[in-house]
Amino acid sequence: MDMVDKRDERIAALEAQVDVLIYAMTTMNAIIQEIDSDFTSRVVRANREAKIRGMV
């Protein structure tokens, strides 16, 4: 195996790692957006209920 083949293998391994990192970051971003959306909905609901009860 010559130097070019080893280099190509290392490049392929790094590209695979980058793909995994991109997938992980995309997944984490989706989870964060879901949590943020849920939190926002709860705050909006709590504020609405507080207004109805005359607490705000």
Side-chain angles (χ1 to χ4, degrees):
M1 185 175 277
D2 61 3
M3 294 297 285
V4 174
D5 290 338
K6 288 182 181 180
R7 185 194 62 173
D8 288 346
E9 281 185 7
R10 286 192 303 246
I11 290 171
L14 289 172
E15 288 174 341
Q17 289 177 347
V18 168
D19 288 343
V20 169
L21 288 173
I22 290 171
Y23 175 77
M25 290 174 64
T26 302
T27 302
M28 287 189 313
N29 189 42
I31 291 168
I32 290 168
Q33 286 179 348
E34 184 66 29
I35 291 169
D36 184 51
S37 176
D38 183 56
F39 177 76
T40 302
S41 296
R42 289 175 187 226
V43 170
V44 168
R45 187 178 326 119
N47 285 341
R48 187 178 313 124
E49 290 174 2
K51 286 178 184 176
I52 290 171
R53 293 187 180 123
M55 298 172 66
V56 175

